[in-house]
Amino acid sequence: MRTHSILVILFDGVQPLDVAGPLDVFSAAARFTGSASTPPYVVRTASLGGETVRSAGGLRLAPDLDLADVEDPDLLLVPGGPGVGDVDNRLVTWLRERAPNVKRVVSVCTGAYLLAEAGLLDGRRATTHWASCDYLASNYPQIQIDPSPIFVRDGSISTSAGVTAGVDLAMALVEEDFGRAVAHEIARLLVVFLRRPGNQAQFSVPLSAQIARSDPLREVQYWAVANLASDLSVPAIAQRAGLSTRQFARAFAEQVGMTPGRYVDLIRLEAAQRMLTDTRDGVIRIARRCGYGTPEAMRRAFMRELGVSPTEYRRTFAKSSTLNPDPR
């Protein structure tokens, strides 16, 4: 495993959450991967002249570096905020000259303005905060603005919507670097939505389940996720935990924060969403693998939780390679 270097640009009027949200995600990754000698990410902040900036709301942020002295990072993060319309032209020039050398460039919220002004989004699909999409589209017609998704990834450049969407995008990057399991643990730690790949964040399943304190219940949680097609009725999993049905249901709800039945519903739905978007398996096969038994049972679950059928979900959010699924 190698360490990924991240550079965050600071300027007067930057939105603090645009900076802090993604940084919390990247710093949390160290809990679940890497070591003291090889951290997953090393994050540095920089401003013009290395000067302290006053963020929106008045919070002062002291950068680590002067932009003139930084080396090209693996990932460049450009936050937004009220100050994007008043930034020094030298910052835009720096982006125009240096960003093309960076493997991954990310903007949060109205940070897309700075990328657009630097010409980095020309000919690309992008997004920003919904309230700012019309302005960006009218002033930069060479950019294909999509106001719907929480984030858009087009080649080496990713743009995200409102401030909390920066967390979703950061989760996507962590998953890309270190896998779904690490992203899942970070989501639990930060008590945020478990981000789905691509444009699917608006239909995410809330990551409201906690990890049980007691070993038997915790092992049952992990076992259920790995054995979705098994009998996951309360009596069956209570027996696996070595408890009576009543004891198990009470302890599970207390420690996990939801009933066993609700937990099973969510992990099956999450797995079905992933299979619909990431595989070519047919609805019948996915329903069987996820423990629904029949496509109709899975359809009812999707309509109840997401308001769309499995077929509609796949048609809207599937990767291009899965748009013609195996009918079985």
Side-chain angles (χ1 to χ4, degrees):
M1 187 195 75
R2 74 180 186 87
T3 297
H4 300 261
S5 60
I6 299 176
L7 178 68
V8 182
I9 291 179
L10 301 180
F11 52 87
D12 284 332
V14 69
Q15 174 63 45
L17 280 177
D18 286 8
V19 177
L23 293 200
D24 271 353
V25 173
F26 295 128
S27 63
R31 290 184 176 227
F32 309 106
T33 186
S35 65
S37 60
T38 55
Y41 299 102
V42 171
V43 182
R44 296 287 185 269
T45 56
S47 69
L48 288 171
E51 297 180 358
T52 296
V53 304
R54 182 183 289 275
S55 69
L59 182 67
R60 289 187 176 276
L61 303 176
D64 300 307
L65 302 165
D66 181 340
L67 276 174
D69 299 330
V70 301
E71 298 181 356
D72 291 336
D74 296 314
L75 189 154
L76 175 65
L77 192 149
V78 182
V84 294
D86 298 317
V87 297
D88 191 307
N89 286 335
R90 291 177 297 161
L91 177 55
V92 175
T93 299
W94 186 94
L95 285 170
R96 186 180 298 117
E97 295 175 350
R98 298 291 296 275
N101 302 322
V102 179
K103 181 180 178 182
R104 294 184 294 187
V105 178
V106 172
S107 71
V108 181
C109 198
T110 53
Y113 284 10
L114 301 180
L115 299 186
E117 188 65 22
L120 300 170
L121 297 180
D122 290 358
R124 295 181 184 268
R125 180 169 166 260
T127 194
T128 187
H129 191 285
W130 62 268
S132 301
C133 284
D134 287 346
Y135 176 86
L136 198 64
S138 62
N139 284 274
Y140 304 95
Q142 63 274 37
I143 305 171
Q144 182 185 344
I145 303 299
D146 189 342
S148 300
I150 285 183
F151 63 85
V152 169
R153 304 187 68 181
D154 188 331
S156 62
I157 297 182
S158 301
T159 52
S160 60
V163 289
T164 57
V167 172
D168 290 275
L169 181 50
M171 295 283 289
L173 297 169
V174 171
E175 182 177 324
E176 180 179 284
D177 293 338
F178 300 106
R180 185 181 296 271
V182 172
H184 186 89
E185 292 300 328
I186 293 172
R188 289 185 183 277
L189 178 66
L190 300 182
V191 195
V192 296
F193 288 97
L194 179 60
R195 189 207 56 77
R196 289 289 299 149
N199 296 339
Q200 299 170 47
Q202 59 267 51
F203 285 142
S204 293
V205 178
L207 189 71
S208 50
Q210 304 173 42
I211 298 296
R213 297 187 301 274
S214 62
D215 288 340
L217 270 62
R218 187 164 56 247
E219 289 306 314
V220 163
Q221 283 185 276
Y222 294 145
W223 182 86
V225 171
N227 295 272
L228 295 171
S230 299
D231 181 1
L232 299 184
S233 65
V234 176
I237 55 180
Q239 182 178 15
R240 187 171 189 86
L243 299 171
S244 70
T245 300
R246 180 175 297 180
Q247 286 176 315
F248 175 78
R250 182 172 59 248
F252 193 96
E254 176 189 344
Q255 295 186 32
V256 180
M258 64 179 66
T259 66
R262 180 61 176 163
Y263 180 76
V264 170
D265 287 345
L266 290 181
I267 61 174
R268 280 178 167 157
L269 182 67
E270 181 182 308
Q273 288 177 277
R274 184 170 62 251
M275 292 180 196
L276 284 168
T277 59
D278 296 356
T279 77
R280 296 182 66 251
D281 288 353
V283 172
I284 295 175
R285 183 182 298 173
I286 291 173
R288 185 169 60 248
R289 290 178 61 189
C290 293
Y292 288 109
T294 67
E296 177 58 25
M298 187 168 80
R299 189 192 72 81
R300 288 197 300 268
F302 268 68
M303 294 301 297
R304 180 176 64 251
E305 299 289 346
L306 305 178
V308 295
S309 70
T311 301
E312 291 170 325
Y313 187 90
R314 168 171 266 166
R315 184 182 301 119
T316 303
F317 298 113
K319 297 176 180 178
S320 58
S321 60
T322 65
L323 291 179
N324 296 305
D326 186 329
R328 293 170 294 174

